[in-house]
Amino acid sequence: MIQKILVAVAGRGLCEEMVNMLMDIPAFQGASITLLHVVTPETIADEMSAKLAKGGKILADAVKALKVDAKKVNPRLKQGDPKAIVCEVAEEENVDLIIIGSRALGRLRAILEGSVSQYVFQLASRPMLLVKDDSYVKRINRVMVAMNNSPEAKQSLEMALAFTRNVSGSQLILAHVNPPKAVNQAEEDEVLAAAAAEAKKAGVNYRCITGSGKPGPEICRIAKETNADLLLLGSPDRRPNMAKSLVDLDRLLGSSLSDYVRVNADCPVLLVRR
């Protein structure tokens, strides 16, 4: 399922640590990895040379940090706008997953401070795993997926099963906020019952949880209370085809569910878009 991974490296080592954790998961062990570092252009030649040299060292250190076969790693150093280049390389290499660091900036700060992860989230058509600066995960054992009836939620479930299938000690946490019908037990909820059936079929240990209230805070609360190591959330692209190259202002200004969770969740967040 996961055959190609694009990792945007910035020299902090967080994304490399995440890749090493993923490589312990059977579904990821056959994946090839593109390590990308983007250098912004300079008008002065000496400054540009210094930047390229520094970028080359960042890439070399990232390659050394990965505990994978070097033949599976493709380091790429490119010049340009990081926001645009990450999206271009993701499409060019037809990757299944983008891994990128995130400072979890909210609302206008992401615009004013030029958040690369925020803009990639706006424009990329690939699932994107955000590795936050202030979150630490030793191993991915508890994987939570926020469920509803959307195609993106179903794709999130498929990816969550890939994280937990054949992984000893793992648990899949299936959460549904504001189900339309009241139930005595979470697994009686239609959405969770269908997801649980898929988990059973895959032989994955699972737990069902329902919540009520504002979806963003509830999803973050459940992730925190269950001590989730990773949270998957479907993030449908609501723009018409003619506007796919334009940003989604709801997300850009921080008013979407996925943007709230991106900023406020205590664990790494994987935003899934078809």
PDB file of all heavy atoms in Angstrom, residues 42-78:
ATOM      1  N   GLU A  42      19.254  32.722  -3.659  1.00  0.00           N
ATOM      2  CA  GLU A  42      19.923  33.953  -3.242  1.00  0.00           C
ATOM      3  C   GLU A  42      20.472  34.647  -4.480  1.00  0.00           C
ATOM      4  O   GLU A  42      20.881  33.990  -5.449  1.00  0.00           O
ATOM      5  CB  GLU A  42      21.067  33.648  -2.267  1.00  0.00           C
ATOM      6  CG  GLU A  42      20.636  33.062  -0.939  1.00  0.00           C
ATOM      7  CD  GLU A  42      19.993  34.101  -0.031  1.00  0.00           C
ATOM      8  OE1 GLU A  42      20.082  35.302  -0.349  1.00  0.00           O
ATOM      9  OE2 GLU A  42      19.397  33.704   0.990  1.00  0.00           O
ATOM     10  N   THR A  43      20.498  35.958  -4.459  1.00  0.00           N
ATOM     11  CA  THR A  43      21.004  36.704  -5.621  1.00  0.00           C
ATOM     12  C   THR A  43      22.530  36.767  -5.632  1.00  0.00           C
ATOM     13  O   THR A  43      23.143  36.934  -6.682  1.00  0.00           O
ATOM     14  CB  THR A  43      20.443  38.137  -5.610  1.00  0.00           C
ATOM     15  OG1 THR A  43      20.751  38.751  -4.352  1.00  0.00           O
ATOM     16  CG2 THR A  43      18.931  38.129  -5.802  1.00  0.00           C
ATOM     17  N   ILE A  44      23.156  36.633  -4.457  1.00  0.00           N
ATOM     18  CA  ILE A  44      24.615  36.684  -4.373  1.00  0.00           C
ATOM     19  C   ILE A  44      25.168  35.258  -4.474  1.00  0.00           C
ATOM     20  O   ILE A  44      24.770  34.371  -3.709  1.00  0.00           O
ATOM     21  CB  ILE A  44      25.065  37.349  -3.057  1.00  0.00           C
ATOM     22  CG1 ILE A  44      24.513  38.774  -2.981  1.00  0.00           C
ATOM     23  CG2 ILE A  44      26.581  37.345  -2.934  1.00  0.00           C
ATOM     24  CD1 ILE A  44      24.774  39.469  -1.668  1.00  0.00           C
ATOM     25  N   ALA A  45      26.086  35.058  -5.403  1.00  0.00           N
ATOM     26  CA  ALA A  45      26.581  33.715  -5.711  1.00  0.00           C
ATOM     27  C   ALA A  45      27.209  33.037  -4.499  1.00  0.00           C
ATOM     28  O   ALA A  45      26.981  31.848  -4.246  1.00  0.00           O
ATOM     29  CB  ALA A  45      27.588  33.789  -6.859  1.00  0.00           C
ATOM     30  N   ASP A  46      28.022  33.768  -3.732  1.00  0.00           N
ATOM     31  CA  ASP A  46      28.695  33.171  -2.573  1.00  0.00           C
ATOM     32  C   ASP A  46      27.672  32.711  -1.533  1.00  0.00           C
ATOM     33  O   ASP A  46      27.843  31.638  -0.922  1.00  0.00           O
ATOM     34  CB  ASP A  46      29.662  34.172  -1.938  1.00  0.00           C
ATOM     35  CG  ASP A  46      30.900  34.409  -2.795  1.00  0.00           C
ATOM     36  OD1 ASP A  46      31.117  33.610  -3.729  1.00  0.00           O
ATOM     37  OD2 ASP A  46      31.634  35.383  -2.534  1.00  0.00           O
ATOM     38  N   GLU A  47      26.639  33.496  -1.323  1.00  0.00           N
ATOM     39  CA  GLU A  47      25.605  33.119  -0.358  1.00  0.00           C
ATOM     40  C   GLU A  47      24.842  31.894  -0.834  1.00  0.00           C
ATOM     41  O   GLU A  47      24.483  31.021  -0.040  1.00  0.00           O
ATOM     42  CB  GLU A  47      24.651  34.292  -0.125  1.00  0.00           C
ATOM     43  CG  GLU A  47      25.292  35.470   0.590  1.00  0.00           C
ATOM     44  CD  GLU A  47      24.305  36.595   0.848  1.00  0.00           C
ATOM     45  OE1 GLU A  47      23.111  36.445   0.471  1.00  0.00           O
ATOM     46  OE2 GLU A  47      24.712  37.619   1.413  1.00  0.00           O
ATOM     47  N   MET A  48      24.602  31.817  -2.150  1.00  0.00           N
ATOM     48  CA  MET A  48      23.908  30.663  -2.709  1.00  0.00           C
ATOM     49  C   MET A  48      24.761  29.407  -2.563  1.00  0.00           C
ATOM     50  O   MET A  48      24.267  28.334  -2.207  1.00  0.00           O
ATOM     51  CB  MET A  48      23.590  30.923  -4.186  1.00  0.00           C
ATOM     52  CG  MET A  48      22.630  29.901  -4.786  1.00  0.00           C
ATOM     53  SD  MET A  48      20.957  30.025  -4.128  1.00  0.00           S
ATOM     54  CE  MET A  48      20.717  28.402  -3.457  1.00  0.00           C
ATOM     55  N   SER A  49      26.058  29.545  -2.808  1.00  0.00           N
ATOM     56  CA  SER A  49      26.962  28.397  -2.666  1.00  0.00           C
ATOM     57  C   SER A  49      26.989  27.895  -1.237  1.00  0.00           C
ATOM     58  O   SER A  49      26.997  26.686  -0.984  1.00  0.00           O
ATOM     59  CB  SER A  49      28.382  28.790  -3.110  1.00  0.00           C
ATOM     60  OG  SER A  49      28.406  29.116  -4.482  1.00  0.00           O
ATOM     61  N   ALA A  50      27.000  28.842  -0.287  1.00  0.00           N
ATOM     62  CA  ALA A  50      27.014  28.463   1.130  1.00  0.00           C
ATOM     63  C   ALA A  50      25.722  27.741   1.503  1.00  0.00           C
ATOM     64  O   ALA A  50      25.743  26.759   2.256  1.00  0.00           O
ATOM     65  CB  ALA A  50      27.206  29.703   1.999  1.00  0.00           C
ATOM     66  N   LYS A  51      24.597  28.230   0.980  1.00  0.00           N
ATOM     67  CA  LYS A  51      23.306  27.593   1.259  1.00  0.00           C
ATOM     68  C   LYS A  51      23.258  26.184   0.688  1.00  0.00           C
ATOM     69  O   LYS A  51      22.760  25.252   1.323  1.00  0.00           O
ATOM     70  CB  LYS A  51      22.164  28.428   0.672  1.00  0.00           C
ATOM     71  CG  LYS A  51      21.573  29.439   1.615  1.00  0.00           C
ATOM     72  CD  LYS A  51      20.275  29.977   1.064  1.00  0.00           C
ATOM     73  CE  LYS A  51      19.531  30.803   2.093  1.00  0.00           C
ATOM     74  NZ  LYS A  51      18.218  31.268   1.584  1.00  0.00           N
ATOM     75  N   LEU A  52      23.759  26.027  -0.524  1.00  0.00           N
ATOM     76  CA  LEU A  52      23.750  24.706  -1.151  1.00  0.00           C
ATOM     77  C   LEU A  52      24.641  23.725  -0.392  1.00  0.00           C
ATOM     78  O   LEU A  52      24.293  22.554  -0.227  1.00  0.00           O
ATOM     79  CB  LEU A  52      24.196  24.815  -2.611  1.00  0.00           C
ATOM     80  CG  LEU A  52      23.193  25.479  -3.571  1.00  0.00           C
ATOM     81  CD1 LEU A  52      23.835  25.725  -4.925  1.00  0.00           C
ATOM     82  CD2 LEU A  52      21.947  24.612  -3.723  1.00  0.00           C
ATOM     83  N   ALA A  53      25.780  24.223   0.077  1.00  0.00           N
ATOM     84  CA  ALA A  53      26.682  23.368   0.852  1.00  0.00           C
ATOM     85  C   ALA A  53      26.018  22.937   2.157  1.00  0.00           C
ATOM     86  O   ALA A  53      26.098  21.767   2.561  1.00  0.00           O
ATOM     87  CB  ALA A  53      27.987  24.110   1.134  1.00  0.00           C
ATOM     88  N   LYS A  54      25.350  23.879   2.808  1.00  0.00           N
ATOM     89  CA  LYS A  54      24.640  23.553   4.053  1.00  0.00           C
ATOM     90  C   LYS A  54      23.510  22.569   3.784  1.00  0.00           C
ATOM     91  O   LYS A  54      23.287  21.620   4.543  1.00  0.00           O
ATOM     92  CB  LYS A  54      24.094  24.828   4.684  1.00  0.00           C
ATOM     93  CG  LYS A  54      23.401  24.601   6.013  1.00  0.00           C
ATOM     94  CD  LYS A  54      22.898  25.916   6.615  1.00  0.00           C
ATOM     95  CE  LYS A  54      22.174  25.663   7.934  1.00  0.00           C
ATOM     96  NZ  LYS A  54      21.665  26.939   8.529  1.00  0.00           N
ATOM     97  N   GLY A  55      22.780  22.798   2.681  1.00  0.00           N
ATOM     98  CA  GLY A  55      21.689  21.889   2.317  1.00  0.00           C
ATOM     99  C   GLY A  55      22.196  20.495   2.015  1.00  0.00           C
ATOM    100  O   GLY A  55      21.560  19.498   2.389  1.00  0.00           O
ATOM    101  N   GLY A  56      23.349  20.402   1.353  1.00  0.00           N
ATOM    102  CA  GLY A  56      23.937  19.095   1.074  1.00  0.00           C
ATOM    103  C   GLY A  56      24.295  18.353   2.346  1.00  0.00           C
ATOM    104  O   GLY A  56      24.107  17.139   2.447  1.00  0.00           O
ATOM    105  N   LYS A  57      24.798  19.087   3.342  1.00  0.00           N
ATOM    106  CA  LYS A  57      25.131  18.457   4.624  1.00  0.00           C
ATOM    107  C   LYS A  57      23.875  17.984   5.345  1.00  0.00           C
ATOM    108  O   LYS A  57      23.861  16.908   5.961  1.00  0.00           O
ATOM    109  CB  LYS A  57      25.895  19.436   5.508  1.00  0.00           C
ATOM    110  CG  LYS A  57      26.376  18.808   6.818  1.00  0.00           C
ATOM    111  CD  LYS A  57      27.165  19.767   7.667  1.00  0.00           C
ATOM    112  CE  LYS A  57      27.731  19.076   8.910  1.00  0.00           C
ATOM    113  NZ  LYS A  57      26.720  18.361   9.698  1.00  0.00           N
ATOM    114  N   ILE A  58      22.806  18.779   5.287  1.00  0.00           N
ATOM    115  CA  ILE A  58      21.531  18.384   5.909  1.00  0.00           C
ATOM    116  C   ILE A  58      21.042  17.078   5.305  1.00  0.00           C
ATOM    117  O   ILE A  58      20.615  16.161   6.011  1.00  0.00           O
ATOM    118  CB  ILE A  58      20.484  19.500   5.750  1.00  0.00           C
ATOM    119  CG1 ILE A  58      20.826  20.680   6.672  1.00  0.00           C
ATOM    120  CG2 ILE A  58      19.072  18.979   6.050  1.00  0.00           C
ATOM    121  CD1 ILE A  58      19.943  21.900   6.472  1.00  0.00           C
ATOM    122  N   LEU A  59      21.133  16.975   3.983  1.00  0.00           N
ATOM    123  CA  LEU A  59      20.708  15.750   3.306  1.00  0.00           C
ATOM    124  C   LEU A  59      21.608  14.569   3.684  1.00  0.00           C
ATOM    125  O   LEU A  59      21.109  13.465   3.949  1.00  0.00           O
ATOM    126  CB  LEU A  59      20.727  15.950   1.788  1.00  0.00           C
ATOM    127  CG  LEU A  59      19.474  16.528   1.147  1.00  0.00           C
ATOM    128  CD1 LEU A  59      19.691  16.681  -0.348  1.00  0.00           C
ATOM    129  CD2 LEU A  59      18.255  15.662   1.408  1.00  0.00           C
ATOM    130  N   ALA A  60      22.902  14.794   3.712  1.00  0.00           N
ATOM    131  CA  ALA A  60      23.833  13.713   4.058  1.00  0.00           C
ATOM    132  C   ALA A  60      23.575  13.214   5.480  1.00  0.00           C
ATOM    133  O   ALA A  60      23.570  12.003   5.731  1.00  0.00           O
ATOM    134  CB  ALA A  60      25.275  14.201   3.914  1.00  0.00           C
ATOM    135  N   ASP A  61      23.344  14.144   6.403  1.00  0.00           N
ATOM    136  CA  ASP A  61      23.056  13.756   7.789  1.00  0.00           C
ATOM    137  C   ASP A  61      21.733  12.991   7.874  1.00  0.00           C
ATOM    138  O   ASP A  61      21.600  12.047   8.661  1.00  0.00           O
ATOM    139  CB  ASP A  61      22.991  14.994   8.681  1.00  0.00           C
ATOM    140  CG  ASP A  61      24.359  15.633   8.892  1.00  0.00           C
ATOM    141  OD1 ASP A  61      25.370  14.965   8.606  1.00  0.00           O
ATOM    142  OD2 ASP A  61      24.407  16.805   9.323  1.00  0.00           O
ATOM    143  N   ALA A  62      20.751  13.406   7.058  1.00  0.00           N
ATOM    144  CA  ALA A  62      19.452  12.727   7.065  1.00  0.00           C
ATOM    145  C   ALA A  62      19.585  11.300   6.554  1.00  0.00           C
ATOM    146  O   ALA A  62      18.976  10.376   7.106  1.00  0.00           O
ATOM    147  CB  ALA A  62      18.451  13.510   6.211  1.00  0.00           C
ATOM    148  N   VAL A  63      20.384  11.106   5.517  1.00  0.00           N
ATOM    149  CA  VAL A  63      20.604   9.758   4.980  1.00  0.00           C
ATOM    150  C   VAL A  63      21.246   8.873   6.042  1.00  0.00           C
ATOM    151  O   VAL A  63      20.850   7.713   6.245  1.00  0.00           O
ATOM    152  CB  VAL A  63      21.481   9.803   3.712  1.00  0.00           C
ATOM    153  CG1 VAL A  63      21.874   8.396   3.282  1.00  0.00           C
ATOM    154  CG2 VAL A  63      20.755  10.516   2.579  1.00  0.00           C
ATOM    155  N   LYS A  64      22.229   9.408   6.754  1.00  0.00           N
ATOM    156  CA  LYS A  64      22.904   8.649   7.807  1.00  0.00           C
ATOM    157  C   LYS A  64      21.961   8.294   8.945  1.00  0.00           C
ATOM    158  O   LYS A  64      22.098   7.241   9.584  1.00  0.00           O
ATOM    159  CB  LYS A  64      24.089   9.448   8.351  1.00  0.00           C
ATOM    160  CG  LYS A  64      25.245   9.609   7.379  1.00  0.00           C
ATOM    161  CD  LYS A  64      26.353  10.441   8.004  1.00  0.00           C
ATOM    162  CE  LYS A  64      27.494  10.677   7.015  1.00  0.00           C
ATOM    163  NZ  LYS A  64      28.544  11.551   7.601  1.00  0.00           N
ATOM    164  N   ALA A  65      20.993   9.188   9.210  1.00  0.00           N
ATOM    165  CA  ALA A  65      20.078   8.973  10.340  1.00  0.00           C
ATOM    166  C   ALA A  65      19.059   7.877  10.060  1.00  0.00           C
ATOM    167  O   ALA A  65      18.491   7.302  10.993  1.00  0.00           O
ATOM    168  CB  ALA A  65      19.357  10.275  10.681  1.00  0.00           C
ATOM    169  N   LEU A  66      18.799   7.581   8.781  1.00  0.00           N
ATOM    170  CA  LEU A  66      17.800   6.571   8.436  1.00  0.00           C
ATOM    171  C   LEU A  66      18.358   5.166   8.611  1.00  0.00           C
ATOM    172  O   LEU A  66      19.454   4.856   8.143  1.00  0.00           O
ATOM    173  CB  LEU A  66      17.333   6.756   6.988  1.00  0.00           C
ATOM    174  CG  LEU A  66      16.561   8.031   6.671  1.00  0.00           C
ATOM    175  CD1 LEU A  66      16.076   7.991   5.228  1.00  0.00           C
ATOM    176  CD2 LEU A  66      15.386   8.227   7.612  1.00  0.00           C
ATOM    177  N   LYS A  67      17.583   4.320   9.251  1.00  0.00           N
ATOM    178  CA  LYS A  67      17.995   2.930   9.479  1.00  0.00           C
ATOM    179  C   LYS A  67      17.377   2.037   8.406  1.00  0.00           C
ATOM    180  O   LYS A  67      16.636   1.095   8.688  1.00  0.00           O
ATOM    181  CB  LYS A  67      17.558   2.490  10.871  1.00  0.00           C
ATOM    182  CG  LYS A  67      18.178   3.320  11.981  1.00  0.00           C
ATOM    183  CD  LYS A  67      17.617   2.945  13.336  1.00  0.00           C
ATOM    184  CE  LYS A  67      18.191   3.829  14.434  1.00  0.00           C
ATOM    185  NZ  LYS A  67      17.608   3.514  15.769  1.00  0.00           N
ATOM    186  N   VAL A  68      17.662   2.368   7.164  1.00  0.00           N
ATOM    187  CA  VAL A  68      17.117   1.610   6.032  1.00  0.00           C
ATOM    188  C   VAL A  68      18.236   1.373   5.022  1.00  0.00           C
ATOM    189  O   VAL A  68      19.301   2.015   5.081  1.00  0.00           O
ATOM    190  CB  VAL A  68      15.951   2.366   5.348  1.00  0.00           C
ATOM    191  CG1 VAL A  68      14.806   2.563   6.315  1.00  0.00           C
ATOM    192  CG2 VAL A  68      16.408   3.714   4.816  1.00  0.00           C
ATOM    193  N   ASP A  69      17.971   0.469   4.104  1.00  0.00           N
ATOM    194  CA  ASP A  69      18.917   0.182   3.028  1.00  0.00           C
ATOM    195  C   ASP A  69      19.131   1.453   2.196  1.00  0.00           C
ATOM    196  O   ASP A  69      18.178   2.047   1.700  1.00  0.00           O
ATOM    197  CB  ASP A  69      18.356  -0.940   2.144  1.00  0.00           C
ATOM    198  CG  ASP A  69      19.329  -1.382   1.065  1.00  0.00           C
ATOM    199  OD1 ASP A  69      20.342  -0.692   0.837  1.00  0.00           O
ATOM    200  OD2 ASP A  69      19.058  -2.424   0.439  1.00  0.00           O
ATOM    201  N   ALA A  70      20.365   1.878   2.067  1.00  0.00           N
ATOM    202  CA  ALA A  70      20.676   3.108   1.339  1.00  0.00           C
ATOM    203  C   ALA A  70      20.184   3.071  -0.106  1.00  0.00           C
ATOM    204  O   ALA A  70      19.926   4.123  -0.709  1.00  0.00           O
ATOM    205  CB  ALA A  70      22.177   3.368   1.374  1.00  0.00           C
ATOM    206  N   LYS A  71      20.026   1.859  -0.664  1.00  0.00           N
ATOM    207  CA  LYS A  71      19.547   1.751  -2.045  1.00  0.00           C
ATOM    208  C   LYS A  71      18.099   2.210  -2.187  1.00  0.00           C
ATOM    209  O   LYS A  71      17.650   2.514  -3.296  1.00  0.00           O
ATOM    210  CB  LYS A  71      19.685   0.308  -2.525  1.00  0.00           C
ATOM    211  CG  LYS A  71      21.122  -0.185  -2.626  1.00  0.00           C
ATOM    212  CD  LYS A  71      21.182  -1.633  -3.067  1.00  0.00           C
ATOM    213  CE  LYS A  71      22.624  -2.138  -3.139  1.00  0.00           C
ATOM    214  NZ  LYS A  71      22.678  -3.576  -3.534  1.00  0.00           N
ATOM    215  N   LYS A  72      17.373   2.230  -1.079  1.00  0.00           N
ATOM    216  CA  LYS A  72      15.968   2.649  -1.110  1.00  0.00           C
ATOM    217  C   LYS A  72      15.803   4.157  -0.905  1.00  0.00           C
ATOM    218  O   LYS A  72      14.686   4.663  -0.915  1.00  0.00           O
ATOM    219  CB  LYS A  72      15.173   1.911  -0.041  1.00  0.00           C
ATOM    220  CG  LYS A  72      15.066   0.415  -0.250  1.00  0.00           C
ATOM    221  CD  LYS A  72      14.200  -0.220   0.828  1.00  0.00           C
ATOM    222  CE  LYS A  72      14.046  -1.709   0.615  1.00  0.00           C
ATOM    223  NZ  LYS A  72      13.205  -2.324   1.667  1.00  0.00           N
ATOM    224  N   VAL A  73      16.924   4.861  -0.688  1.00  0.00           N
ATOM    225  CA  VAL A  73      16.862   6.280  -0.351  1.00  0.00           C
ATOM    226  C   VAL A  73      17.363   7.120  -1.521  1.00  0.00           C
ATOM    227  O   VAL A  73      18.449   6.870  -2.066  1.00  0.00           O
ATOM    228  CB  VAL A  73      17.695   6.582   0.906  1.00  0.00           C
ATOM    229  CG1 VAL A  73      17.598   8.067   1.262  1.00  0.00           C
ATOM    230  CG2 VAL A  73      17.226   5.720   2.076  1.00  0.00           C
ATOM    231  N   ASN A  74      16.582   8.115  -1.900  1.00  0.00           N
ATOM    232  CA  ASN A  74      16.932   9.015  -2.988  1.00  0.00           C
ATOM    233  C   ASN A  74      16.992  10.451  -2.450  1.00  0.00           C
ATOM    234  O   ASN A  74      15.966  11.102  -2.303  1.00  0.00           O
ATOM    235  CB  ASN A  74      15.891   8.920  -4.111  1.00  0.00           C
ATOM    236  CG  ASN A  74      16.153   9.939  -5.214  1.00  0.00           C
ATOM    237  OD1 ASN A  74      17.294  10.314  -5.477  1.00  0.00           O
ATOM    238  ND2 ASN A  74      15.089  10.399  -5.864  1.00  0.00           N
ATOM    239  N   PRO A  75      18.199  10.950  -2.125  1.00  0.00           N
ATOM    240  CA  PRO A  75      18.299  12.325  -1.629  1.00  0.00           C
ATOM    241  C   PRO A  75      18.218  13.332  -2.777  1.00  0.00           C
ATOM    242  O   PRO A  75      18.868  13.154  -3.821  1.00  0.00           O
ATOM    243  CB  PRO A  75      19.674  12.357  -0.950  1.00  0.00           C
ATOM    244  CG  PRO A  75      20.458  11.268  -1.593  1.00  0.00           C
ATOM    245  CD  PRO A  75      19.494  10.254  -2.109  1.00  0.00           C
ATOM    246  N   ARG A  76      17.438  14.390  -2.578  1.00  0.00           N
ATOM    247  CA  ARG A  76      17.284  15.408  -3.617  1.00  0.00           C
ATOM    248  C   ARG A  76      17.438  16.802  -3.002  1.00  0.00           C
ATOM    249  O   ARG A  76      16.757  17.134  -2.039  1.00  0.00           O
ATOM    250  CB  ARG A  76      15.921  15.295  -4.308  1.00  0.00           C
ATOM    251  CG  ARG A  76      15.710  13.988  -5.037  1.00  0.00           C
ATOM    252  CD  ARG A  76      14.423  14.000  -5.835  1.00  0.00           C
ATOM    253  NE  ARG A  76      14.445  14.992  -6.900  1.00  0.00           N
ATOM    254  CZ  ARG A  76      13.454  15.165  -7.801  1.00  0.00           C
ATOM    255  NH1 ARG A  76      12.383  14.390  -7.740  1.00  0.00           N
ATOM    256  NH2 ARG A  76      13.535  16.088  -8.734  1.00  0.00           N
ATOM    257  N   LEU A  77      18.318  17.574  -3.575  1.00  0.00           N
ATOM    258  CA  LEU A  77      18.541  18.956  -3.166  1.00  0.00           C
ATOM    259  C   LEU A  77      18.048  19.855  -4.288  1.00  0.00           C
ATOM    260  O   LEU A  77      18.537  19.761  -5.417  1.00  0.00           O
ATOM    261  CB  LEU A  77      20.028  19.199  -2.891  1.00  0.00           C
ATOM    262  CG  LEU A  77      20.428  20.610  -2.448  1.00  0.00           C
ATOM    263  CD1 LEU A  77      19.808  20.949  -1.099  1.00  0.00           C
ATOM    264  CD2 LEU A  77      21.954  20.732  -2.380  1.00  0.00           C
ATOM    265  N   LYS A  78      17.077  20.699  -3.998  1.00  0.00           N
ATOM    266  CA  LYS A  78      16.503  21.543  -5.036  1.00  0.00           C
ATOM    267  C   LYS A  78      16.466  22.995  -4.579  1.00  0.00           C
ATOM    268  O   LYS A  78      16.440  23.292  -3.374  1.00  0.00           O
ATOM    269  CB  LYS A  78      15.085  21.072  -5.391  1.00  0.00           C
ATOM    270  CG  LYS A  78      15.054  19.701  -6.058  1.00  0.00           C
ATOM    271  CD  LYS A  78      13.659  19.283  -6.457  1.00  0.00           C
ATOM    272  CE  LYS A  78      13.099  20.076  -7.625  1.00  0.00           C
ATOM    273  NZ  LYS A  78      13.774  19.767  -8.906  1.00  0.00           N
TER     274      LYS A  78
END
